[in-house]
Amino acid sequence: MKSKSYKFLNFISNLFLPESCNLRVLAYHDIIDSNKFEAQIKFLVKSKYNIISVNDLHAYLYDGKILTKNSLLITFDDGDVSVLDHGLPILRKYDLPSVMFVITGLINSANTFWCRWVEIALQNQGKSYAESRVVVNSLKKMSNSERVAYLEKLDPVASRQLTIDDMLKMQNGKMFIGNHTHTHPMVNKCTNQELNNDLKLSLASFEEWQLPGGKIFAYPNGNWDKESEEILKNNGIDMAFLFDHKLNKKDINPMRISRIRVNSDTELNEFKVKISGLHSKLMTLKNRIV
């Protein structure tokens, strides 16, 4: 039923939606299904979209360079190793640029990204995945200090994480390494001191690794407010990406760049509907009705 619905919506978007030249930025997290991911990439390569690099976008925002028609930027959040193992080879096959936003505190470690850590720890205690996700979502709404205090009570869970050599391999493969904070806090739930301290750690890591992407930032979970935005600016961040499931407007605020949420295991018709902009319009309408 879902497949048929998206097939119909894709038909509708092709017929009735005017072609939008607005920038599209795709936001992935991991590569669950490499075959479906490659099908998505093949579609982008053969379609009207022009895949750009983050440097192209920076030059457009700050140097007056022209952005090609139907520009599209591919991004990944959290630094999941599946992107290195299964995503990068596909992107290199088609010679496409992309961006990976990494949590600097996890690099060269065996620690688990805190959202996944909570899921595993609670499931080890007999909770269901759905129950563990309720806890994760509630932690995202807490103050940062409360979230950290909860995590300190959990048993540690080891995971494979990216290394510095991995990031250099990715960077050499046209996958730009950007900043996703040091510990993945919800920046709007941090005190000013907490956020400043976290940013200083992440920026210091980029400097140590001699990678240029410390000032290209993605908000964890898409959370932001005007106060946290100012703190980012004061720390030298000059591009920041949201997680709001929208196309960008013609006049782009460099600190509020919209992204479309996509998954690597999404069926192609659903993927087409999402990047067309129709899906975000329907979600906005649904939220207004509800």
Side-chain angles (χ1 to χ4, degrees):
M1 186 66 179
K2 182 180 178 182
S3 178
K4 290 181 179 179
S5 297
Y6 276 109
K7 186 175 182 180
F8 174 71
L9 288 173
N10 184 42
F11 173 75
I12 292 295
S13 68
N14 288 330
L15 273 186
F16 299 109
L17 274 186
E19 184 172 309
S20 170
C21 296
N22 294 20
L23 169 70
R24 290 160 169 81
V25 183
L26 305 187
Y28 290 91
H29 281 89
D30 50 19
I31 302 297
I32 298 172
D33 189 319
S34 56
N35 291 326
K36 288 181 179 176
F37 178 66
E38 183 165 10
Q40 295 170 7
I41 296 301
K42 276 185 179 179
F43 165 73
L44 294 176
V45 169
K46 293 179 179 179
S47 70
K48 61 191 176 186
Y49 300 110
N50 294 302
I51 314 302
I52 64 169
S53 70
V54 73
N55 288 326
D56 293 329
L57 179 55
H58 193 279
Y60 167 74
L61 293 171
Y62 286 99
D63 302 327
K65 301 294 185 181
I66 300 298
L67 206 58
T68 55
K69 186 178 179 181
N70 297 316
S71 291
L72 185 146
L73 177 64
I74 300 170
T75 71
F76 302 86
D77 284 5
D78 300 339
D80 195 273
V81 293
S82 65
V83 179
L84 169 70
D85 294 340
H86 308 298
L88 183 62
I90 293 169
L91 293 168
R92 293 188 75 166
K93 177 179 176 180
Y94 295 93
D95 194 31
L96 296 180
S98 60
V99 186
M100 168 69 94
F101 292 105
V102 300
I103 305 165
T104 56
L106 294 181
I107 303 303
N108 271 4
S109 81
N111 299 325
T112 301
F113 168 46
W114 76 260
C115 294
R116 185 65 184 135
W117 176 17
V118 172
E119 292 170 3
I120 295 172
L122 293 185
Q123 288 178 81
N124 287 343
Q125 296 173 17
K127 302 287 187 182
S128 67
Y129 174 76
E131 289 171 324
S132 71
R133 285 304 306 174
V134 170
V135 175
V136 170
N137 290 331
S138 69
L139 288 168
K140 291 178 180 180
K141 298 174 183 177
M142 294 180 183
S143 69
N144 188 59
S145 59
E146 290 174 314
R147 180 186 65 86
V148 170
Y150 178 90
L151 295 176
E152 288 174 346
K153 298 175 183 178
L154 294 179
D155 293 332
V157 174
S159 294
R160 177 189 164 206
Q161 298 293 345
L162 295 176
T163 65
I164 297 172
D165 286 342
D166 289 335
M167 292 191 298
L168 293 175
K169 177 182 177 181
M170 296 162 92
Q171 189 96 355
N172 290 334
K174 299 176 73 171
M175 182 173 283
F176 186 90
I177 305 300
N179 190 345
H180 205 38
T181 71
H182 193 68
T183 61
H184 201 279
M186 306 298 102
V187 299
N188 62 328
K189 299 297 181 181
C190 293
T191 64
N192 291 356
Q193 182 177 352
E194 287 172 335
L195 181 53
N196 274 306
N197 289 343
D198 192 281
L199 290 171
K200 283 179 171 55
L201 288 170
S202 66
L203 290 167
S205 296
F206 274 89
E207 187 174 347
E208 178 187 343
W209 302 330
Q210 298 183 335
L211 289 172
K215 295 180 180 180
I216 310 297
F217 186 86
Y219 294 100
N221 203 53
N223 288 35
W224 75 282
D225 57 22
K226 290 184 178 180
E227 190 171 7
S228 58
E229 182 181 278
E230 286 302 313
I231 292 173
L232 264 62
K233 288 180 182 179
N234 292 337
N235 279 274
I237 306 294
D238 62 5
M239 285 176 64
F241 291 80
L242 302 171
F243 195 61
D244 54 351
H245 200 55
K246 294 179 181 178
L247 303 187
N248 283 278
K249 298 177 181 178
K250 290 183 180 179
D251 295 323
I252 303 173
N253 182 334
M255 298 301 293
R256 303 176 197 173
I257 303 170
S258 291
R259 293 192 293 171
I260 302 167
R261 299 189 294 268
V262 288
N263 297 314
S264 66
D265 59 345
T266 298
E267 295 290 346
L268 193 55
N269 278 319
E270 181 178 350
F271 179 76
K272 291 177 181 179
V273 170
K274 287 183 175 180
I275 65 173
S276 74
L278 177 59
H279 191 270
S280 60
K281 291 179 184 293
L282 293 174
M283 292 299 292
T284 300
L285 180 62
K286 178 184 175 183
N287 291 335
R288 286 176 180 172
I289 294 172
V290 174

